[in-house]
Amino acid sequence: MIQRGTVAIVLAAGTGKRMNTAQKKQYISLKGYPILYYSLKAFEESQLERIVLVTGEEELSYCQNEIVKKYGFQKVTAVVAGGKERYHSVYNGLMAAKGPDYVLIHDGARPFVTQDIIMRTLDGARAWGACVAGMPAKDTIKIADKDGFAKDTPDRSKVWVVQTPQSFSYDLILPAYQNLIEMEQNGHTVTVTDDAMVLELFGCNKVKLAEGSYDNIKITTPSDLSVAENIIRMRLNMEIK
């Protein structure tokens, strides 16, 4: 049974510099809809209770009118401004979520999240407090030294490529983010690349890995758009069959 107060925080505040387009990547059309539409639609159709959309301050009105209202996303209860870095945006989203039981933090530029992935990570968060989507690495990974030479080769069977959503007990992830922000405000340099890392550094809870999908890509570069179009085409063909 889904607990009340289960909230998805969908992040759409990035600038998307690597896309090399005038339009920010989350609003680029993908088969007739903005990329962000697909992520919001997945959570709208899920059993989660609410969605908090985090976007750029200058896009608040656009998202409210041209995304949320236009496509009828009734579970989006707040559209809030992000911050300078991703972790600032997540923190703003956590504050806007207002004390749910669990939060699922998701990149709006990952349009192919499925109901199965959403539920696997949520169930994992219920069981272990923290659970993130990911997939085992297909390729051998090399650790480089500061001069660009291969330094180490981790066991591929233990290497996962992490995705979103990343799901947490709110009472675990909020204090971790508060510690991160406090450390930054005290003048310390902070480098974090995902939400699980925040909990690993500033919390006291292990993070469970759950199966995502190799299709659950993050659209970052122009070539990713071509891959995304192919994924949609294949899914449509499967539905027709």
Side-chain angles (χ1 to χ4, degrees), residues 2-3 6 47-48 102-104 117-127 131 167-168:
I2 298 295
Q3 296 193 30
T6 306
Q47 297 180 57
L48 273 65
Y102 296 95
V103 290
L104 284 74
I117 296 172
I118 290 171
M119 291 309 302
R120 276 197 292 271
T121 61
L122 178 56
D123 288 344
R126 285 208 199 99
C131 182
S167 303
F168 306 91

Side-chain angles (χ1 to χ4, degrees), residues 175 190 236:
V190 180
L236 287 174

